[in-house]
């Protein structure tokens, strides 16, 4: 798998400064943050949530967990559950399973970013493969992804 063309086109068309980071294959956000020598608060992990109405993309720091009841309140949806990979894999045909970038707008999926992720200058996220990540300024991400910003996580000890 390669970095999705739609992601690269979005970044390049808007002349966004970003860096592609190459790393050994990894499968969890905490593991990726360690491999990239990045604090977990900078690593934006994507958690897919299925609701009664629609799938949602939740974006949060690697060292946080999602609070589904808070997400339900801020999103105005009902019965949110963590989606299994088989439930959302088809939504991201150009990504390796579980490596979708935090740009739900590229896939027609509402995106929610936890406010804690907005507090730093940059974020790092998986780029559609198990061996590549992208580092970019958080304000640029927010401008391109158009996420809803809310509080719906808690920090892991």
């Amino acid at each position: 798998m390669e970095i999705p063309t739609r992601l690269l086109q979005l970044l390049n068309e808007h002349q966004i400064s970003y860096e592609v980071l190459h790393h050994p294959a990894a499968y969890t956000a905490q593991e990726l943050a360690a491999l990239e020598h990045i604090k977990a608060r900078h690593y934006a992990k994507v958690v897919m949530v299925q609701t009664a109405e629609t799938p949602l993309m939740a974006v949060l720091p690697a060292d946080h967990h999602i609070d589904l009841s808070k997400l339900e309140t801020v999103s105005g949806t009902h019965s949110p559950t963590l989606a299994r990979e088989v439930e959302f894999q088809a939504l991201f045909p150009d990504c390796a399973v579980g490596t979708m970038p935090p740009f739900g707008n590229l896939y027609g999926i509402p995106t929610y970013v936890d406010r804690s992720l907005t507090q730093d200058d940059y974020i790092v996220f998986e780029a559609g493969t198990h061996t590549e990540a992208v580092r970019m300024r958080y304000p640029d991400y927010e401008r391109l992804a158009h996420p809803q910003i809310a509080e719906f996580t808690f920090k892991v000890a």
Side-chain angles (χ1 to χ4, degrees), residues 78-94:
H78 301 90
S79 307
T81 58
L82 297 179
R84 294 173 300 166
E85 289 179 341
V86 296
E87 295 175 310
F88 63 80
Q89 180 178 355
L91 298 172
F92 305 97
D94 53 356

Side-chain angles (χ1 to χ4, degrees), residues 59-107:
V59 183
L60 51 147
D63 60 352
H64 283 61
H65 284 284
I66 194 166
D67 181 325
L68 290 173
S69 63
K70 286 184 181 178
L71 185 61
E72 180 176 34
T73 300
V74 301
S75 68
T77 60
H78 301 90
S79 307
T81 58
L82 297 179
R84 294 173 300 166
E85 289 179 341
V86 296
E87 295 175 310
F88 63 80
Q89 180 178 355
L91 298 172
F92 305 97
D94 53 356
C95 298
V97 176
T99 67
M100 53 281 185
F103 289 85
N105 57 323
L106 291 177
Y107 300 90

Side-chain angles (χ1 to χ4, degrees), residues 4 21 31 40 49 53 62 71 83-85 97 115 132 153:
L21 307 172
E31 183 182 12
V49 176
E53 297 82 8
L71 185 61
R84 294 173 300 166
E85 289 179 341
V97 176
R115 189 171 309 285
E132 293 168 306
T153 68

